[in-house]
Amino acid sequence: MSRLKTFAAVVLAATLPAMAQAADFNLTGGSVLGDTTATATFSSGGIGLNITANSGGSALDVVLLSNGVGVKASALDVFPGIGNNEFLTLTFSQAVNLTSLRLAEWDSPDDAILSWAGGSRTLVGDGIVSTDTENLSGVVGQVFTLTGTSALTTFRLNGLTAVAAVPEPSTYALMGLGLVGIGFAAR
């Protein structure tokens, strides 16, 4: 019986994840005029991130600027940010808990909606042109959409922080009970 307990403890300990580390994505570093691409790819803390841009069902270019990522609707787009009805789709390589967004050029006319499979959250500018951090909780998924929702909206996604989503402790408890049951059955 003690060997079975030892076996169950070893298996359970091996399957428990290490403490999840936050992956901080710095989305700055493009040129002042902007570098355009169909898909921008980033990586941090072992988590991959692909960003695409869209507006009304039409694919647009992602623009990488010195102060963040935006949408470039055309060659004449002088202020390439995230404008009204323009959106960035953030696709992670695995499920994550999105804990914060950093928004550049974020001021009072800026409104946006962050949406994911489990819900949405409205973000509202705070009154002065700055880079603000929007702290989030309960925002878990693999694909997120950040949409500009005001006629005067023009901001950029400057960065974000995500933590790999891990299963609930009850999932591991159930798995452990299953392993113990298998051990009893084998015995």
Side-chain angles (χ1 to χ4, degrees):
M1 184 69 164
S2 70
R3 279 194 279 173
L4 181 60
K5 286 180 184 177
T6 303
F7 172 73
V10 167
V11 169
L12 190 58
T15 58
L16 289 175
M19 193 67 167
Q21 300 247 340
D24 187 45
F25 291 87
N26 180 355
L27 306 178
T28 64
S31 70
V32 174
L33 297 176
D35 302 317
T36 59
T37 182
T39 302
T41 303
F42 301 90
S43 181
S44 177
I47 299 173
L49 170 62
N50 289 326
I51 301 177
T52 57
N54 212 307
S55 177
S58 300
L60 299 174
D61 284 332
V62 175
V63 62
L64 307 170
L65 295 151
S66 58
N67 66 345
V69 175
V71 175
K72 186 146 187 158
S74 71
L76 301 175
D77 194 350
V78 180
F79 302 108
I82 301 169
N84 191 29
N85 294 320
E86 295 175 338
F87 61 90
L88 294 178
T89 301
L90 314 171
T91 305
F92 290 89
S93 59
Q94 65 190 67
V96 298
N97 182 1
L98 199 55
T99 59
S100 72
L101 294 176
R102 289 183 303 280
L103 305 170
E105 307 281 327
W106 187 245
D107 57 20
S108 58
D110 293 328
D111 292 326
I113 295 177
L114 175 67
S115 57
W116 63 99
S120 66
R121 180 166 172 191
T122 301
L123 309 171
V124 180
D126 67 356
I128 58 170
V129 177
S130 64
T131 299
D132 284 352
T133 299
E134 298 287 327
N135 293 313
L136 308 167
S137 64
V139 180
V140 179
Q142 191 168 352
V143 178
F144 303 88
T145 303
L146 181 61
T147 307
T149 59
S150 170
L152 298 176
T153 293
T154 302
F155 64 93
R156 292 171 189 86
L157 180 59
N158 181 275
L160 58 92
T161 304
V163 178
V166 294
E168 294 289 325
S170 60
T171 302
Y172 287 111
L174 186 59
M175 183 181 71
L177 285 174
L179 291 172
V180 169
I182 291 170
F184 280 123
R187 187 158 195 199

